Amino acid sequence: MTALDLSSPVAVVGTGTMGQGIAQVALIAGHPVRLYDAVPGRARQAADAIGARLDRLVEKERLTADRRDAARARLRPVDELTGLADCALVVEAVVERLDVKQELFRALEDVVPDDCLLATNTSSLSVTAIGGALRVPGRFVGLHFFNPAPLLPLVEVVSGFTTDVTHATRAYETARAWGKTPVACADTPGFIVNRVARPFYAEAFAVYESQGADPATVDAVLRESGGFRMGAFELTDLIGQDVNESVTRSVWESFFHDVRFTPSLAQRRLVESGRLGRKTGHGWYDHGDGAERPEPHTAEPAAPPAYVVAEGDLEPASELLALIREAGIEVREEAEDNGTRLVLPGGGQLVLADGQTSVEFRDVVYFDLALDYRAATRIALSHAPNTSPVTVAEATGLFQALGKKVSVIGDVPGMIVARTVARIIDLAHDAVAKGVATEEDIDTAMRLGVNYPLGPLEWSRRLGGGWACSVLDNLHQCEPSGRYAPSLALYRHAYASDKREGTS
C-alpha cells in the first residue's frame, strides 16, 4: 500500500508543541492540514505559531517564500470535530491519558469515513488499549514522532494487536513520504526507543546511588569514553526529571514491575523536591544564572610504566596495544589461552571491565569500555580500597601517556560504559527475539531517536557475541536480584557465537 496522496487532508488533534510540530511536517510535505483543539481559540493560535515558524524558515533560506505561502493557504484551524470529516488521516497529540484518548477516537469515528487512518502519537500508553474501544480498530496505529517533530527524523510506526497490516504499511509509507525515517514495531511498553534506552539512565543512576561516582564524572565518562552525545544526568535535566521518570515508571508498571526497568529512588527524590532540571533551574545540576558546572573527577598526573606485559589480545580493547607502543612504552606479549589483561611492572593487573569487582582479586585495576580507544579523551579506572597505590599510579600514568584524562571511580562492577552498553545490547536482543522490531529497525531507532553512536546490535557485533552476556552474568553474580540476568535471547546469541567461533 502506498502513502497518502498529497491532496488528502491530514488532521492534527491537540495543538501543543508536539501537535504543532506534526502539523508542520505534514504541511511542508504538501498536504492540506486541519487543526483542532478542545480549548476554544487554541487551534487558531497554533496556526499563527506555525505560520511564524514558516516565516523563520524562509529567513534562514530553508524554505522559499512561494512554498511558505502555499503551505499557509493549506492550513486551516477548525472549531468542531465535524470540520475533520473529509480527512484521510487524523493524528492525535493530546494529554497522555487513556480515557481522554479513547473518548476522542470514539468521537472521531462518528465523524470520519471508515477508510480514514487514525493515529496516536502516544509515547507511553498502549496503542492496543487506545484503539480497543473503536468500531474499526484495524485502521488504528501509533505514529510516535520525536520532539521537535520538524527536526528529528525518527517516527516509530506502532501496530496494535488489532491493527491491519495494510493500514500500518500506509502509515509507514506516509511517514517516509514526509521525509521521515520510519521504523516498524509491535505494541510493547516503550515501543523501541523508550524500552531499549532505559539502562542508559538506570545504570548511571545506579552508579551514583552506590556512591561510585558523581553525576559530572559519570556524564563525562559516557561522553568522552562511551561516545554518547550527552551523559544521563545532563540529558534527563534537559528532558525534565518528571518526564523521564514518568516514562521509566510507565514502562516498569507495564512490564508488571520487571526488575530490569525499576525506577531510580534518587531520581524520585529529585522529582519530589521539585528539581526537575533546566525548566525549574535545578535538577542534577544547578542551572541558575551564573551557576558553575561541576568538573568531573580527573586524576593528577602520574608517571607512566616503562613497559607492560600483554596477556592475550585484550579483545575488545586490542586497539590499546598499538596506542601503548605509539606512546613509546614497551609491550611484552605473552600467549595466554584466556588472557585479556595487562600486567604492570609492579605486579598489578589492568583488566577491561567485565562485571566483576576489584575486591574479588588481588591487586587489580579495571578500566572501562570505550567506543573507540584512539578517539576517547577520557578513561575511567576503578579499584578496591586495598589495591596497591603503585598499581593505581601505574595504570593512571599509562592512560595519561596515551593522551587520556583519567577518572578514578569506586569499585563498581561493570563500571559505567561497560554495564550500560551490555544492558542496552541485552534489551535489544530481547526485543528482536520477542518480535518487537527487526535488528535493522532497532539500530536505526536508537541512532536517530536518542543519538547513540552505534545501534545496539551493531555494538554487539563489534564487541563479540559473548561479551555482553559475560559482563551481565558476572554482574548478576554480584547482584542476584534479576536486574542483570542475561535474557534468554542474549544467552542464545552468545552460545551460537561461541559455536561459530569453535569454542565450547
Side-chain angles (χ1 to χ4, degrees):
M1 181 170 285
T2 59
L4 292 176
D5 188 273
L6 290 181
S7 64
S8 302
V10 171
V12 177
V13 178
T15 58
T17 300
M18 184 58 77
Q20 290 182 33
I22 296 170
Q24 181 178 327
V25 171
L27 193 64
I28 290 180
H31 288 273
V33 173
R34 313 277 188 264
L35 291 175
Y36 172 79
D37 198 290
V39 178
R42 283 269 181 90
R44 169 55 61 188
Q45 293 172 7
D48 292 341
I50 293 171
R53 282 198 292 275
L54 295 179
D55 289 340
R56 288 195 292 273
L57 290 176
V58 172
E59 292 170 4
K60 295 176 181 179
E61 298 183 349
R62 296 177 184 173
L63 188 71
T64 65
D66 288 346
R67 288 189 64 197
R68 174 200 59 194
D69 295 343
R72 276 183 163 171
R74 294 193 302 271
L75 180 61
R76 179 160 63 89
V78 300
D79 297 325
E80 303 291 339
L81 282 180
T82 52
L84 312 181
D86 64 339
C87 290
L89 166 64
V90 180
V91 184
E92 164 271 316
V94 303
V95 63
E96 287 285 89
R97 278 181 47 189
L98 179 62
D99 59 335
V100 172
K101 292 178 187 291
Q102 287 179 326
E103 182 179 355
L104 169 64
F105 282 109
R106 280 194 292 262
L108 282 168
E109 275 202 309
D110 293 334
V111 172
V112 300
D114 285 354
D115 61 351
C116 174
L117 187 62
L118 299 178
T120 175
N121 184 59
T122 186
S123 61
S124 60
L125 299 176
S126 164
V127 171
T128 301
I130 298 171
L134 297 183
R135 177 172 48 81
V136 188
R139 44 109 168 244
F140 189 74
V141 67
L143 276 179
H144 180 215
F145 289 78
F146 288 73
N147 194 28
L151 297 180
L152 295 186
L154 185 69
V155 177
E156 292 178 316
V157 182
V158 186
S159 293
F161 188 74
T162 55
T163 301
D164 288 340
V165 66
T166 53
H167 293 293
T169 302
R170 169 154 284 181
Y172 183 99
E173 294 300 334
T174 297
R176 181 152 61 183
W178 290 358
K180 296 302 180 182
T181 302
V183 292
C185 64
D187 183 22
T188 185
F191 309 143
I192 298 174
V193 172
N194 281 331
R195 172 179 176 148
V196 178
R198 291 349 295 159
F200 179 74
Y201 314 106
E203 295 312 308
F205 300 158
V207 171
Y208 168 76
E209 289 173 334
S210 69
Q211 300 187 55
D214 60 279
T217 300
V218 174
D219 280 352
V221 172
L222 286 169
R223 288 193 314 269
E224 299 175 44
S225 183
F228 293 96
R229 186 170 297 183
M230 298 181 74
F233 295 93
E234 58 189 341
L235 180 55
T236 52
D237 265 3
L238 176 63
I239 294 169
Q241 299 301 330
D242 53 339
V243 174
N244 181 260
E245 197 229 18
S246 176
V247 173
T248 298
R249 186 169 296 276
S250 173
V251 172
W252 175 61
E253 291 174 349
S254 297
F255 275 116
F256 309 106
H257 294 183
D258 186 329
V259 69
R260 296 176 300 166
F261 302 101
T262 301
S264 162
L265 180 59
Q267 188 180 38
R268 175 94 292 259
R269 292 291 178 260
L270 209 62
V271 173
E272 289 173 340
S273 70
R275 293 187 169 187
L276 307 182
R278 291 188 185 183
K279 62 186 176 183
T280 61
H282 207 303
W284 296 111
Y285 299 107
D286 184 351
H287 300 279
D289 293 339
E292 293 186 7
R293 183 71 170 265
E295 292 293 324
H297 173 272
T298 302
E300 293 297 322
Y307 69 90
V308 295
V309 178
E311 295 184 350
D313 59 11
L314 295 189
E315 288 290 353
S318 57
E319 188 178 21
L320 281 175
L321 297 181
L323 296 178
I324 293 170
R325 290 189 179 98
E326 290 168 16
I329 299 172
E330 180 186 358
V331 177
R332 303 173 183 175
E333 297 191 53
E334 292 186 2
E336 291 286 338
D337 288 343
N338 294 305
T340 55
R341 66 185 66 86
L342 293 174
V343 180
L344 300 165
Q349 298 180 34
L350 188 56
V351 181
L352 176 62
D354 59 6
Q356 300 180 93
T357 63
S358 294
V359 76
E360 300 174 60
F361 305 97
R362 179 182 175 277
D363 212 14
V364 166
V365 171
Y366 277 107
F367 66 94
D368 208 351
L369 180 70
L371 172 70
D372 180 338
Y373 282 99
R374 184 174 293 277
T377 58
R378 183 179 299 272
I379 294 292
L381 303 179
S382 70
H383 64 87
N386 62 347
T387 301
S388 165
V390 172
T391 300
V392 177
E394 289 179 336
T396 301
L398 174 64
F399 280 104
Q400 288 174 339
L402 306 186
K404 317 299 182 188
K405 295 177 182 177
V406 174
S407 292
V408 181
I409 69 171
D411 190 16
V412 178
M415 302 192 67
I416 297 171
V417 181
R419 70 194 288 162
T420 300
V421 171
R423 287 209 59 216
I424 290 170
I425 287 172
D426 183 44
L427 290 188
H429 278 287
D430 185 54
V432 172
K434 291 178 177 174
V436 174
T438 65
E439 289 191 9
E440 181 182 1
D441 277 355
I442 289 175
D443 279 352
T444 298
M446 303 312 292
R447 285 196 309 270
L448 299 183
V450 278
N451 292 309
Y452 283 4
L454 291 175
L457 285 312
E458 182 182 3
W459 228 329
S460 178
R461 290 188 291 272
R462 176 186 287 197
L463 293 169
W467 179 84
C469 189
S470 177
V471 170
L472 291 178
D473 194 48
N474 287 334
L475 275 163
H476 179 58
Q477 299 305 312
C478 293
E479 186 182 321
S481 64
R483 175 188 179 111
Y484 298 104
S487 66
L488 179 59
L490 186 63
Y491 172 79
R492 284 173 168 159
H493 175 74
Y495 186 79
S497 297
D498 284 346
K499 287 296 185 183
R500 285 194 297 270
E501 294 165 8
T503 60
S504 59

